[in-house]
Every structure is written in C-alpha cells, then in structure tokens.
Amino acid sequence: VVGINTAISTRTGYFIGYGLAVPIDLARKAMSDILEHGRVVRGYLGVDMLEIDQDLMDRLGVDTPRGVYLDSIHTNTPANSSGILRGDVLLAVDGEEVNHPNEVQIVVYNRRPGDALTLSITRQGEKREISLILGERAEDFRREMGRRRIDDLGLTLPPLTPAPPLAPGRPLDIAPPPD
C-alpha cells in the first residue's frame, strides 16, 4: 500500500473527500498516463452502482448478496448503448466476479476508452452476457479539448529565473529590480 493522497470530487456528489492508500497498480497507471498523455485516461461505463445489502436482497428476492446493483444508467454512455438497464445486477466483468462497486471501478479505470468488456448480468433472474466498448467520460473529454484549445493559442512564457532575496521587512512591490 502506498500513501498517496487523492482529492475526490464529482458532479453527482458521490465520493467527495480525500482518499489515502491508493493501490500501487492504480498509481502506476496514473503515472504512466500522465507521462504518455499529459493526463489520466480512464475507461468509462456510465452507471451508478450500489452494493447489495439486506434491503436490496429483499427487494430482489435473493438469499445471498452477490453482484453489484446497477442503480442508474447514464444516457449516451457505453452502458446505455449496450442495453444495460436500471435494476440489472452485475455479476462479473470479463469473467472476474464482482461484489462491490469499487471492484468494478478498478477494472474499468484500468482500461482505456475503446477497450472491449464483457459483463455478466442478471435481469429479473435471467443471466445475460453483454459486450461493450468503453468510452471516455464527456467531462474528461471536454477538459482535454479545453486544454488543447489553450495550447493552440500559442502563449509561451520564458522560464522563471530566481529573484534576488528581499531585504527583511521590505514588501515585494518595492523591492529593487535585479541587476
């Protein structure tokens, strides 16, 4: 476990706060993405998930908490395009059993937009396999396009040079110019 601090903020209000002890595989991928792309590139499924607790088990009519409940499906996302519906229960991603939302997030975040996934779900007691291609979150894409637009403006700045130390008690705005 590596103690890397992360700030978590989302538009939906889920998972706001700070995270510690990021798994090293996730940290390595983020580092690799930043070096290669200048930003973190993650696959995107487009679902809100819930862990299956006793209340959900009662609603679903199941005896054991198995899988992850898909609570909402975002429009214009890979999940929506592939036919996943609210209320489906995700059992496995590419054959790997999942029982907690963070297990799904780790698999998806470690993939890139354009990667294929096979999801095993149950819908009203019937098992199904759904294949889809991961997308990129629209917000991430817009942020990248904004960064590229700024880069296209052509503003360049010279590197900063160290300024001479200020005399104690002298405010910055009246410091003498460097020689």
Side-chain angles (χ1 to χ4, degrees):
V1 176
V2 175
I4 298 174
N5 297 339
T6 59
I8 303 167
S9 177
T10 63
R11 291 182 146 225
T12 62
Y14 291 102
F15 309 115
I16 291 178
Y18 295 98
L20 298 173
V22 174
I24 191 63
D25 293 342
L26 197 57
R28 278 193 184 123
K29 183 184 178 307
M31 180 187 69
S32 171
D33 283 353
I34 290 168
L35 291 173
E36 185 177 337
H37 304 285
R39 65 189 179 98
V40 177
V41 178
R42 292 183 171 156
Y44 178 63
L45 188 56
V47 298
D48 292 328
M49 302 172 283
L50 296 175
E51 193 159 330
I52 297 180
D53 58 10
Q54 187 62 50
D55 184 44
L56 264 174
M57 286 171 44
D58 293 343
R59 281 185 26 211
L60 296 170
V62 295
D63 297 329
T64 57
R66 184 168 173 246
V68 176
Y69 183 80
L70 301 179
D71 191 45
S72 75
I73 312 302
H74 301 263
T75 57
N76 301 318
T77 64
N80 179 257
S81 300
S82 68
I84 294 174
L85 301 176
R86 180 180 191 274
D88 287 348
V89 175
L90 179 57
L91 301 173
V93 179
D94 281 346
E96 297 258 346
E97 193 173 291
V98 291
N99 291 303
H100 305 283
N102 68 326
E103 294 172 341
V104 178
Q105 290 170 330
I106 288 169
V107 172
V108 172
Y109 285 175
N110 278 312
R111 305 291 177 86
R112 297 196 182 282
D115 287 353
L117 279 185
T118 301
L119 307 179
S120 302
I121 66 163
T122 59
R123 179 177 296 154
Q124 299 173 341
E126 180 185 322
K127 287 188 178 184
R128 298 173 184 222
E129 296 284 315
I130 295 178
S131 296
L132 57 81
I133 303 295
L134 289 174
E136 183 170 12
R137 227 173 54 163
E139 183 179 314
D140 293 343
F141 184 73
R142 280 193 303 272
R143 187 178 302 122
E144 173 63 11
M145 290 299 102
R147 186 188 65 74
R148 286 185 185 172
R149 187 164 178 253
I150 289 170
D151 290 348
D152 290 343
L153 293 175
L155 176 66
T156 56
L157 300 170
L160 292 174
T161 56
L166 297 175
R170 291 192 64 183
L172 180 62
D173 63 329
I174 61 166
D179 294 333

